[in-house]
Amino acid sequence: MSVDATAYAATGNAPAVAVTLSRAPRPGSRRWAVVIGGALLPALILAVWQFVTATGAVATSQLPSPQMVWEAAVDLAQRGLLWQYVAISTQRVVIGFLIGAALGLALGAVVGLSRFADILLAPTLGAIRAVPSLAWVPLLILWFKIGEESKIILITIGAFFPVYTTVAAALRHVDRQLVEAGRAFGYRGARLFFTVQLPAVIPSVASGLRLALAQAWLFLVAAELIAASMGLGFLLSDSGNNGRIDRIFLAIILLAVLGKVTDSILALFERWAVKKWA
């Protein structure tokens, strides 16, 4: 919908100038467009999946039908296992992510702000970062057995490095003039960090947190595939051993959905933080 307004020249014989003002689209319309657009590809994948299984183009022993996966979910839910697996895995990810993100923020700040800490710590942390997630599993089991500690520590390791890397790199490139302006107002130490330097790198910190959350889900599966008796990683491993491909697909779908939901929650925090501090 548009509103036309015509402004006429006030001097000489200048021709009239027509100016057309358009009303801005409602915010809700764009939000719905994003939701519908984002649902198109999953709907297409589901339709193709249903078609190839219904027509027998792919054997159900290799690709179960959506109905088979749904029935597997209903069966586990009726036995009280489905939501228990989801809750346990989500709890492990949240705890490990929060610990890893806090440590990554703290150590990233130290390395990013101190040249001495950068020289002392960065090479060692870079080497540890290169260690694959599965390489930690035997050591953590040996030290902490197969209890919750080993799984949460592994997830913490996964969440730590994306936050540490992005925070340290971002703080190294904070505008020097901005820092000097803060010092001119009497800010020093922690006050300078929280008032000037941290707000300057909020977008990078938020991106690092989202990467850390994705990494936490990856490390969760690594932990639960080998050393767990509950959780979605255990469901993957146990279903593979028993040939239950329907449950394998169910676990993969649940991990994808949970990963997307938690990332969306963090995206809301990112928008709020950028609007408030950046």
Side-chain angles (χ1 to χ4, degrees), residues 87-130:
I88 288 174
S89 292
T90 304
Q91 176 181 283
R92 288 167 178 163
V93 167
V94 170
I95 294 174
F97 166 73
L98 291 176
I99 297 173
L103 293 174
L105 178 60
L107 205 54
V110 171
V111 172
L113 296 174
S114 170
R115 179 61 179 166
F116 174 75
D118 186 19
I119 295 172
L120 181 66
L121 300 176
T124 302
L125 291 174
I128 295 174
R129 181 187 177 193

Side-chain angles (χ1 to χ4, degrees), residues 4-43:
D4 293 333
T6 305
Y8 295 96
T11 59
N13 297 320
V17 179
V19 180
T20 301
L21 302 176
S22 299
R23 181 178 297 175
R26 291 175 299 176
S29 62
R30 183 179 182 276
R31 186 178 299 112
W32 278 110
V34 171
V35 172
I36 294 173
L40 287 178
L41 184 57

Side-chain angles (χ1 to χ4, degrees), residues 187-213:
Y187 296 152
R188 295 289 188 275
R191 191 179 180 193
L192 177 66
F193 173 71
F194 286 107
T195 305
V196 176
Q197 293 166 308
L198 183 58
V201 299
I202 281 293
S204 297
V205 173
S207 298
L209 289 173
R210 295 180 70 175
L211 289 173
L213 182 60

Side-chain angles (χ1 to χ4, degrees), residues 38-63:
L40 287 178
L41 184 57
L44 178 61
I45 293 173
L46 182 62
V48 173
W49 181 11
Q50 176 63 35
F51 175 78
V52 298
T53 54
T55 58
V58 180
T60 54
S61 59
Q62 295 180 325
L63 180 65

Side-chain angles (χ1 to χ4, degrees), residues 48-165:
V48 173
W49 181 11
Q50 176 63 35
F51 175 78
V52 298
T53 54
T55 58
V58 180
T60 54
S61 59
Q62 295 180 325
L63 180 65
S65 66
Q67 182 180 354
M68 293 172 62
V69 176
W70 172 256
E71 290 173 352
V74 171
D75 176 59
L76 287 173
Q78 290 176 344
R79 288 161 42 179
L81 294 175
L82 182 64
W83 303 119
Q84 190 175 10
Y85 288 169
V86 169
I88 288 174
S89 292
T90 304
Q91 176 181 283
R92 288 167 178 163
V93 167
V94 170
I95 294 174
F97 166 73
L98 291 176
I99 297 173
L103 293 174
L105 178 60
L107 205 54
V110 171
V111 172
L113 296 174
S114 170
R115 179 61 179 166
F116 174 75
D118 186 19
I119 295 172
L120 181 66
L121 300 176
T124 302
L125 291 174
I128 295 174
R129 181 187 177 193
V131 177
S133 59
L134 290 177
W136 293 104
V137 174
L139 182 62
L140 293 175
I141 291 176
L142 183 64
W143 284 351
F144 302 100
K145 309 305 178 187
I146 60 172
E148 287 298 298
E149 294 86 355
S150 59
K151 300 173 188 60
I152 290 176
I153 290 173
L154 185 60
I155 296 168
T156 298
I157 293 172
F160 167 81
F161 284 103
V163 178
Y164 157 76
T165 303

Side-chain angles (χ1 to χ4, degrees), residues 221-238:
V221 175
E224 291 185 342
L225 275 174
I226 297 175
S229 57
M230 298 289 285
L232 295 176
F234 167 75
L235 179 61
L236 275 172
S237 177
D238 184 64

